[in-house]
Amino acid sequence: MSAKTVTIYGRAKRDEQFLIKTENHDIRISKNKNHPDLDAPSPLEYVLAGYAGCINAVGTLVAKEQKIEYKSLQVDVSGDIDVDKFYGRETTERAGFSKLKATIKLEADISKKQLENWLKTVESRCPVYDNLVNPTPIEVDLVSAFDAVSVI
C-alpha cells in the first residue's frame, strides 16, 4: 500500500474570507465583503469542481494507458440541494447534495465499448468519485483557542 496524507490549512477571522493553504496554492472560499475582487466559489462549487477535476486528471491518465488519442475532454457537474437545513429551517432533508449529475464528453475516434471501458476505469480509480459514492469516516477534533494557552 502506498499511503499519502493530503493536508490543507484553513483560516479566517470574523467577517473575513476563508483562506485555505494547500501544499502549493492558496484557495479562497466564498464572498469577501472587504474585497469584492477576491470573491471565490462556494464550498459546494469546490466539491463539484473537485469531482470534475479528478475525472479530468484520471481520465487523461487512463486514456494514455489505453492508448486513446482524444481531441478534448469536457466534464460538466451539477448538484441538487435543499438549502433549508443550511439556513436552520425545519426540514427532514439532508444538508448535502441529494443528487449529483456528471456529463462527460470525450471527443475521440473510439468505439462505444472502448468509451464505456474508459469511463468504468476512470470511475474505479477517481479518489473524489470514491469519496462521494462511499461513506468515508470523518474524525473531528474541536480545540478551543484557550486550550493552546498555558497558565503559569
Side-chain angles (χ1 to χ4, degrees):
M1 181 171 109
S2 300
K4 176 182 178 179
T5 300
V6 178
T7 304
I8 58 94
Y9 302 95
R11 306 280 188 281
K13 292 183 181 175
R14 183 183 170 108
D15 295 329
E16 287 188 4
Q17 188 177 39
F18 196 65
L19 179 65
I20 295 173
K21 299 260 183 200
T22 69
E23 187 175 331
N24 297 309
H25 299 87
D26 289 347
I27 300 171
R28 297 182 181 282
I29 302 280
S30 294
K31 303 289 181 203
N32 185 328
K33 292 183 226 174
N34 301 325
H35 300 281
D37 55 311
L38 298 177
D39 276 359
S42 74
L44 296 171
E45 291 168 315
Y46 273 113
V47 169
L48 301 182
Y51 177 35
C54 194
I55 290 171
N56 175 69
V58 176
T60 299
L61 181 66
V62 171
K64 185 175 182 179
E65 292 170 357
Q66 294 180 356
K67 298 183 179 13
I68 297 172
E69 295 288 331
Y70 68 91
K71 296 176 188 90
S72 66
L73 172 58
Q74 179 178 329
V75 183
D76 301 330
V77 182
S78 63
D80 296 336
I81 189 165
D82 181 328
V83 296
D84 283 345
K85 185 161 282 199
F86 174 79
Y87 287 112
R89 299 180 195 126
E90 286 293 320
T91 182
T92 58
E93 297 298 318
R94 55 185 287 204
F97 289 113
S98 60
K99 179 176 91 173
L100 296 180
K101 179 176 182 181
T103 302
I104 304 166
K105 181 180 179 184
L106 183 68
E107 189 178 351
D109 291 326
I110 58 175
S111 70
K112 184 172 181 172
K113 184 174 178 158
Q114 287 174 299
L115 184 61
E116 289 169 349
N117 182 52
W118 171 83
L119 180 58
K120 183 178 177 184
T121 305
V122 170
E123 287 178 334
S124 74
R125 291 173 51 183
C126 177
V128 176
Y129 176 84
D130 181 80
N131 280 120
L132 290 170
V133 300
N134 294 301
T136 301
I138 297 178
E139 180 181 317
V140 177
D141 293 328
L142 178 62
V143 180
S144 169
F146 299 110
D147 292 344
V149 177
S150 61
V151 180
I152 299 176

